[in-house]
């Protein structure tokens, strides 16, 4: 990566390398922007950025994945406008840094990522957080403020009204642990997972073109639900505040679609807490059951699944050693995550790939979800994977 950087930006450059991981969310989907609970794991799939100061006041950003070099004036970052391209992620972060009072000077950035993009494993937050670290270039910055700043970049500049989960887990991920995040208090606790199990993500290879607008629709529908429920329970400020019992009492007052969206969120928040409980007791059957309930709720109430995701979940549930499976991430394509016994992993991989190929004539990419550390500077450069 250093060699590639020097080839592009000059042989005497001394870049530092920063890493930010993607994530897989075990349970708690679409709950983050409703200020509820989520349970993601940071992955060893990550975005790496090699960065060094430039001498001419230019911010140059090269993406190896896109094979595109883009150039901006560092002095214009406060007023630069989004262009609806991949550069909006690093530029949005640069703009938020400037707004936060961090001087962003000219720099050369080279991006290399092993997070598949648009697959629900959060390549966008990995890009935002690694960009922030690269532009900070070793300056101290409060980790929670960093996650919030990257979320603002995606909301304000990219224009996605996302919750905090992806940026938060990319910053706060820990090896060997899942992280239960309270998206209102912005606190978290580490959740040790039972021994002898694995989580495997299977990529449908589908990226739905309309997922952005559907996501915005869901955000609006949840706001409409809050408005309707507030009329009865004035203390309710987000769906996080609504207990399943309260919801049962008010559901009939809401328009049908809005009620179903809200029912997903209210039941999903409860499932995150039950899943953490089941995990603490080593109750694998219970964990698996909650994942499947989550999927059905996303499929029928929240309506963010698709035929490919549903197929992968159903196919997984028929295989040996599998406890549960669900779509993960925003939906409309991307990945499923499956909980299974570790010894069952090799045969699971082979069988699920074969079943998916037979059904859709596409080979799914499969990733083992090893809980990894959150973002930081890479000191041992030999640990950076090549993209080959
Ligand atoms: P997800 O976060 O699930 O991967 P998003 O749609 O939120 O999907 O983000 C994907 C977008 O992030 C890509 O379309 C691209 O604009 C940007 N992106 C992610 N990784 C890279 C990369 N390595 N190089 C350039 N752009 C990237
Ligand atoms: Mg994303």
């Amino acid at each position: 990566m250093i060699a590639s950087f020097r080839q592009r930006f000059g042989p005497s450059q001394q870049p530092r390398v920063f890493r930010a991981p993607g994530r897989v969310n075990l349970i708690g989907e679409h709950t983050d922007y409703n200020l509820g609970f989520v349970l993601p794991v940071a992955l060893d799939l990550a975005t790496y950025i090699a960065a060094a100061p430039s001498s001419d006041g230019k911010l140059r950003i090269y993406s190896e994945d896109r094979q595109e070099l883009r150039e901006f004036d560092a002095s214009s970052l406060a007023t630069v406008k989004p262009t609806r391209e991949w550069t909006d992620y690093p530029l949005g972060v640069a703009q938020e840094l400037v707004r936060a009072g961090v001087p962003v000077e000219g720099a050369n950035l080279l991006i290399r990522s092993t997070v598949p993009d648009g697959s629900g494993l959060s390549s966008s937050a990995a890009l935002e957080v690694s960009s922030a670290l690269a532009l900070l270039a070793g300056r101290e910055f409060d980790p929670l403020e960093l996650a919030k700043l990257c979320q603002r970049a995606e909301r304000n500049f990219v224009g996605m009204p996302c919750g905090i989960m992806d940026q938060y887990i990319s910053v706060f991920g820990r090896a060997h642990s899942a992280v239960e995040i309270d998206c209102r208090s912005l606190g978290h606790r580490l959740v040790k997972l039972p021994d002898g199990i694995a989580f495997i993500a299977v990529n449908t290879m589908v990226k739905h073109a309309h997922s952005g607008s559907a996501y915005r629709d869901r955000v609006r529908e949840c706001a409409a639900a809050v408005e309707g429920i507030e009329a009865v329970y004035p203390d309710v400020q987000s769906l996080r505040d609504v207990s399943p019992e309260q919801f049962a009492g008010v559901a009939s007052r809401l328009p049908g679609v809005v009620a179903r969206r809200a029912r997903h969120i209210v039941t999903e928040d409860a499932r995150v807490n039950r899943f953490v409980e089941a995990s603490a007791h080593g109750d694998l059957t219970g964990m698996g059951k909650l994942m499947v309930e989550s999927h059905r709720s996303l499929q029928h109430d929240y309506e963010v699944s698709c035929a490919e995701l549903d197929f992968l979940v159903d196919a997984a549930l028929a295989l040996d050693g599998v406890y549960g499976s669900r779509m993960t991430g925003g939906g409309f394509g991307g990945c499923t995550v499956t909980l299974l016994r570790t010894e069952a992993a090799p045969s699971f991989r082979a069988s699920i790939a074969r079943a998916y190929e037979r059904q859709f004539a596409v080979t799914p990419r499969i990733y083992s979800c090893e809980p990894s550390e959150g973002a930081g500077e890479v000191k041992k450069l030999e640990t950076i994977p090549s993209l080959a």
Side-chain angles (χ1 to χ4, degrees), residues 78-117:
T79 53
V80 69
K81 294 275 181 292
T83 58
R84 306 262 157 259
E85 292 169 89
W86 64 269
T87 43
D88 284 355
Y89 296 89
L91 274 188
V93 166
Q95 185 160 91
E96 290 294 339
L97 281 170
V98 171
R99 287 187 180 162
V102 176
V104 177
E105 278 119 32
N108 295 324
L109 268 50
L110 179 131
I111 303 166
R112 168 176 296 190
S113 186
T114 57
V115 190
D117 83 59

Side-chain angles (χ1 to χ4, degrees), residues 15-31:
R16 298 167 73 167
V17 178
F18 302 89
R19 166 192 173 275
R23 59 102 188 98
V24 67
N25 188 23
L26 302 183
I27 196 158
E29 215 64 76
H30 288 274
T31 43

Side-chain angles (χ1 to χ4, degrees), residues 52-350:
S54 68
S55 48
D56 57 0
K58 301 280 188 201
L59 174 60
R60 288 186 200 81
I61 314 175
Y62 180 74
S63 166
E64 285 190 340
D65 307 86
R66 301 294 162 116
Q67 302 196 349
E68 274 176 27
L69 177 68
R70 307 294 301 277
E71 188 178 298
F72 308 90
D73 282 319
S75 60
S76 69
L77 289 171
T79 53
V80 69
K81 294 275 181 292
T83 58
R84 306 262 157 259
E85 292 169 89
W86 64 269
T87 43
D88 284 355
Y89 296 89
L91 274 188
V93 166
Q95 185 160 91
E96 290 294 339
L97 281 170
V98 171
R99 287 187 180 162
V102 176
V104 177
E105 278 119 32
N108 295 324
L109 268 50
L110 179 131
I111 303 166
R112 168 176 296 190
S113 186
T114 57
V115 190
D117 83 59
S119 301
L121 301 182
S122 193
S123 68
S124 57
L127 178 54
E128 289 152 10
V129 174
S130 55
S131 297
L133 293 180
L135 294 169
L136 282 165
R139 273 174 289 210
E140 289 277 309
F141 205 84
D142 177 77
L144 180 57
E145 291 306 317
L146 183 75
K148 286 159 71 178
L149 183 145
C150 290
Q151 182 198 18
R152 288 202 299 279
E154 186 151 346
R155 292 179 70 97
N156 298 342
F157 202 82
V158 177
M160 259 315 262
C162 64
I164 189 74
M165 170 169 66
D166 298 355
Q167 295 82 8
Y168 193 108
I169 186 66
S170 190
V171 171
F172 287 100
R174 279 291 274 282
H176 314 298
S177 285
V179 181
E180 185 187 18
I181 305 167
D182 178 334
C183 298
R184 168 170 281 158
S185 75
L186 300 182
H188 69 265
R189 59 176 164 149
L190 301 180
V191 175
K192 194 189 157 318
L193 299 163
D195 293 326
I197 56 159
F199 288 94
I200 292 186
V202 183
N203 195 339
T204 60
M205 314 305 281
V206 176
K207 298 178 193 182
H208 277 272
H210 303 299
S211 60
S213 59
Y215 191 98
R216 287 184 195 88
D217 290 344
R218 297 300 176 279
V219 172
R220 265 196 296 274
E221 288 159 350
C222 289
V226 170
E227 219 169 280
I229 297 171
E230 230 180 355
V232 182
Y233 296 106
D235 288 344
V236 166
Q237 281 167 12
S238 76
L239 290 176
R240 153 68 179 275
D241 299 319
V242 183
S243 70
E245 296 71 35
Q246 283 177 323
F247 180 70
V250 294
S252 63
R253 298 171 55 99
L254 303 174
V257 170
V258 170
R260 282 190 289 121
R261 304 297 189 247
R263 181 167 63 187
H264 166 71
I265 300 300
V266 171
T267 58
E268 185 78 351
D269 271 331
R271 278 188 289 272
V272 176
N273 295 306
R274 286 164 61 204
F275 187 93
V276 170
E277 190 92 335
S279 176
H281 293 107
D283 175 10
L284 303 176
T285 308
M287 292 164 76
K289 206 165 151 265
L290 288 161
M291 290 174 76
V292 178
E293 282 176 23
S294 168
H295 184 77
R296 298 304 172 212
S297 178
L298 289 157
Q299 181 181 1
H300 301 300
D301 276 352
Y302 219 61
E303 295 182 282
V304 292
S305 188
C306 63
E308 292 85 351
L309 287 166
D310 296 341
F311 177 87
L312 281 178
V313 166
D314 293 335
L317 294 177
L319 295 174
D320 277 347
V322 169
Y323 292 102
S325 186
R326 56 183 290 277
M327 56 158 275
T328 187
F332 302 103
C335 292
T336 60
V337 59
T338 298
L339 166 62
L340 73 174
R341 273 205 318 274
T342 309
E343 318 86 79
S347 73
F348 170 81
R349 284 170 170 262

